[in-house]
Amino acid sequence: MNKEIEKQIEEAALKFKEMLAEQYERNSRIGAGVSAGASGKSSVVIGLAPGDGIGPVIMEETKAVLEELLKEELGSGRVSFKEIEGFTIENRLAKEETVPKDVLAQMEACDVILKGPTTTPNAAMGGVNLESANVFLRKYFDLFANVRPVKVDEEGIDWTFFRENTEGEYALGSRGIRLGDGTGDGLSVDFKVTTAEGSRRIAKAAYDFARANGKKKVSIVTKANIMKKTDGDFQQIALEVAKGYPEIETDTWFVDIMAANLVNKDIRSGFEVFVLPNLYGDIITDEAAQIQGGVGTAGSANIGTDMAMFEAIHGSAPRMVEDGIAHLANPASLITAAVMMLRHIGLGDKADRLESAVSKADAKLGSMMTGLPGGKSCKEFAKEVRSNL
């Protein structure tokens, strides 16, 4: 082994030691429990953060739908909107910050955030290789529970996924180590972290939801047979939590088999609630959304103790912008996220109305929301939703 590689290993060991200490301290700080949300407040400030790519397009139409639905609440001051400015790829690159400090200050002034998709810069873009804004915000606000519902009534599918949102590969994915020059003699190592408290609180959130909503089954999804420490701990802790909910059936699955189960029409309607570590939750929920009709139809909630953020699960689709067809993006994902947001802030009746309106619009126009020339537009879909309210 040459001296340069020995030096790199020593430096990596020091960085790893610092990282372990940091994550251990984080575990000791984590509190248990999901926030009751903003439902008890006399007024709620909803931050609107369009993002970039197709984000501003779908946000504009989602806002128009909400303005129609919430006329009374907006008029009385029960609800207000706050436009989040500067949350663009251009501003983030110019300031060389994943989320600029002034943008964070605007977000902190809100009770909940409705967020459009954001582009994650990479080296190929010729700029600063910033961390994902989604990952950053989830960690910054400690939004530990990513909740994604998927429903296909005609197939008996009614799934709710609880994805751990602040740990796993994503927590340390930008802090890996490379030895050598990354080519002929290169060695790269990335890290995955699982904390006991982080695993316990996401499992508890899933079981609390199941109990509160009359669900009879929770499925724990890991790769514990291979990742024996991280996934093994996650599975074991979730099983311990399950003992406090004896009326709920619990089963365990490996993520590869669960990926197959979701496309198996003979058994998939038997699943109800899922709890998964971060990376598996990301992959599996995208697969589930595709079964529902595509990632353009799915929204998600990111819930923490003091903040909640609601968003579409898809990316910013920069190619649609480049091709001049951003106006053909499907807003159903962000509108569905708004449904979840309304429930979180205690406006369940309005959430039910909006959910029904979206379902009717999707039945009529969904197959024509192709995102391609000749398809229906974002504005047309949103107009149909408003007409169904």
Side-chain angles (χ1 to χ4, degrees):
M1 186 183 299
N2 64 51
K3 290 185 177 180
E4 176 58 30
I5 294 297
E6 287 183 354
K7 180 183 177 183
Q8 289 182 21
I9 290 174
E10 289 176 2
E11 291 174 349
L14 288 173
K15 289 181 180 178
F16 188 55
K17 180 180 178 180
E18 291 174 3
M19 197 159 39
L20 281 175
E22 173 191 297
Q23 293 302 313
Y24 187 83
E25 287 299 315
R26 176 181 174 274
N27 183 52
S28 68
R29 292 194 306 269
I30 294 174
V34 180
S35 169
S39 59
K41 302 187 72 172
S42 59
S43 62
V44 177
V45 179
I46 299 172
L48 303 179
D52 43 68
I54 62 171
V57 176
I58 61 176
M59 181 64 78
E60 180 182 359
E61 297 305 325
T62 300
K63 181 184 177 185
V65 168
L66 288 173
E67 286 175 334
E68 178 76 19
L69 179 67
L70 302 177
K71 281 181 181 178
E72 181 180 337
E73 288 78 9
L74 289 166
S76 67
R78 166 73 173 85
V79 170
S80 62
F81 293 140
K82 178 178 176 61
E83 304 278 353
I84 306 297
E85 298 180 354
F87 192 49
T88 64
I89 184 64
E90 295 81 10
N91 190 43
R92 290 157 54 215
L93 286 172
K95 294 188 175 181
E96 297 188 359
E97 295 178 277
T98 300
V99 181
K101 293 180 180 61
D102 60 320
V103 175
L104 281 174
Q106 295 175 65
M107 291 180 171
E108 287 173 329
C110 303
D111 296 302
V112 295
I113 298 167
L114 184 63
K115 177 190 157 296
T118 52
T119 302
T120 301
N122 56 65
M125 296 173 66
V128 182
N129 195 10
L130 299 174
E131 181 184 12
S132 160
N134 282 354
V135 173
F136 177 90
L137 289 171
R138 290 165 186 166
K139 289 190 293 185
Y140 184 84
F141 290 112
D142 197 24
L143 306 175
F144 66 87
N146 183 259
V147 186
R148 295 183 175 182
V150 168
K151 197 171 185 180
V152 185
D153 290 334
E154 58 270 27
E155 295 194 28
I157 291 173
D158 188 359
W159 299 329
T160 305
F161 296 86
F162 280 76
R163 166 193 172 191
E164 201 294 316
N165 216 19
T166 60
E167 300 187 351
E169 294 83 353
Y170 291 3
L172 303 175
S174 62
R175 296 172 63 180
I177 291 169
R178 179 182 291 116
L179 302 180
D181 61 8
T183 55
D185 65 345
L187 166 66
S188 299
V189 179
D190 280 322
F191 301 108
K192 173 175 181 173
V193 61
T194 296
T195 69
E197 289 301 325
S199 301
R200 188 173 293 112
R201 67 181 181 177
I202 188 64
K204 187 175 186 303
Y207 279 93
D208 282 347
F209 171 86
R211 174 174 282 173
N213 290 275
K215 304 297 183 180
K216 302 300 183 184
K217 185 176 183 180
V218 173
S219 300
I220 303 166
V221 183
T222 66
K223 193 65 176 169
N225 57 331
I226 302 298
M227 308 299 290
K228 296 183 183 296
K229 300 295 190 298
T230 51
D231 286 16
D233 285 354
F234 185 97
Q235 178 175 278
Q236 186 57 40
I237 290 167
L239 287 171
E240 287 296 321
V241 170
K243 292 177 181 178
Y245 304 79
E247 78 280 15
I248 297 172
E249 177 188 351
T250 295
D251 56 14
T252 62
W253 297 88
F254 299 137
V255 64
D256 47 343
I257 300 302
M258 182 54 74
N261 287 342
L262 294 191
V263 294
N264 184 342
K265 293 185 177 182
D266 292 334
I267 66 171
R268 65 187 185 184
S269 62
F271 295 107
E272 292 186 315
V273 179
F274 305 76
V275 59
L276 318 86
N278 205 337
L279 176 61
Y280 310 145
D282 190 6
I283 296 169
I284 288 292
T285 54
D286 278 4
E287 181 192 12
Q290 193 64 33
I291 293 168
Q292 179 178 255
V295 293
T297 68
S300 69
N302 301 272
I303 310 295
T305 303
D306 301 311
M307 174 64 81
M309 181 174 73
F310 302 83
E311 61 183 346
I313 74 168
H314 56 71
S316 58
R319 289 182 182 177
M320 292 186 72
V321 178
E322 293 170 7
D323 294 342
I325 56 173
H327 65 288
L328 298 178
N330 190 341
S333 53
L334 194 58
I335 300 175
T336 299
V339 170
M340 302 177 74
M341 179 188 71
L342 293 173
R343 289 205 173 97
H344 183 77
I345 63 176
L347 297 177
D349 57 335
K350 295 298 177 76
D352 291 343
R353 284 180 58 194
L354 183 53
E355 184 175 45
S356 176
V358 173
S359 179
K360 291 176 182 176
D362 187 62
K364 182 176 179 180
L365 301 179
S367 63
M368 293 178 273
M369 298 299 299
T370 61
L372 299 171
K376 291 293 184 179
S377 70
C378 179
K379 190 174 291 291
E380 287 174 298
F381 188 92
K383 183 179 179 181
E384 184 66 25
V385 173
R386 292 199 306 273
S387 72
N388 292 333
L389 290 175

